[in-house]
Amino acid sequence: QVQLVESGGGLVQAGGSLRLSCTTSGRTFGTYAVAWFRQAPGKGREFVAGISWSVGSTYAADSVKGRFTISRDNAKNTVYLQMNSLKPEDTAVYYCAIDLIPRTVVPVLRYEYDYWGQGTQVTVSS
C-alpha cells in the first residue's frame, strides 16, 4: 500500500507564494511519476505539474508555467510544488498523486495515477 500526505496549503493574497509538500510512504519502489492536480469548486480535477521520480524530468500545465515549479527530494520521498505569483483562479484543493507504471512521459490524465492523497486547500484572495 502507498500513502501520500500533502501539506503546506493555506490562505494567501494574490501575488503571494506557497510551497506544497507531498510525502510518500509504503511500497513506492518502481514509482515512475508524482504529480499535483487541483480541483476548484464545481470543476473537474485538472493536472498542474508532474515529475519523473528517477530522471527528474518535469512537465507543467500552461496555466501555471513560469509560476509553479515542481521538484523532488528522493532521500525524503517528498515532492514539492513551489507556487509563486498566485492568482485567485489558483484557488482549489490540491492533490498529490503517484503513478507506479513505467511510461515514457509524465502522465497528465487523472486515471493514469494509482494512488492519491487527501488534498490540501489553497485559497488566494484578491
Side-chain angles (χ1 to χ4, degrees), residues 19-121:
R19 188 178 79 157
L20 305 182
S21 299
C22 172
T23 300
T24 67
S25 61
R27 296 184 61 186
T28 56
F29 179 77
T31 299
Y32 177 74
V34 179
W36 288 95
F37 285 73
R38 66 185 181 186
Q39 187 164 13
K43 296 187 177 181
R45 194 169 297 188
E46 65 173 357
F47 175 87
V48 176
I51 186 166
S52 164
W53 193 259
S54 57
V55 178
S57 57
T58 62
Y59 181 75
D62 288 343
S63 59
V64 305
K65 280 182 181 176
R67 300 189 299 124
F68 292 10
T69 302
I70 189 169
S71 62
R72 77 196 193 288
D73 184 332
N74 289 3
K76 295 182 179 180
N77 284 332
T78 300
V79 170
Y80 304 98
L81 184 68
Q82 178 66 44
M83 306 186 294
N84 299 327
S85 302
L86 282 161
K87 305 175 181 179
E89 50 264 44
D90 294 318
T91 295
V93 177
Y94 283 70
Y95 298 91
C96 176
I98 196 167
D99 170 28
L100 299 180
I101 298 176
R103 305 180 197 270
T104 56
V105 295
V106 174
V108 298
L109 299 177
R110 181 177 175 179
Y111 73 84
E112 295 177 294
Y113 286 84
D114 303 292
Y115 293 94
W116 294 79
Q118 294 299 307
T120 185
Q121 177 71 46

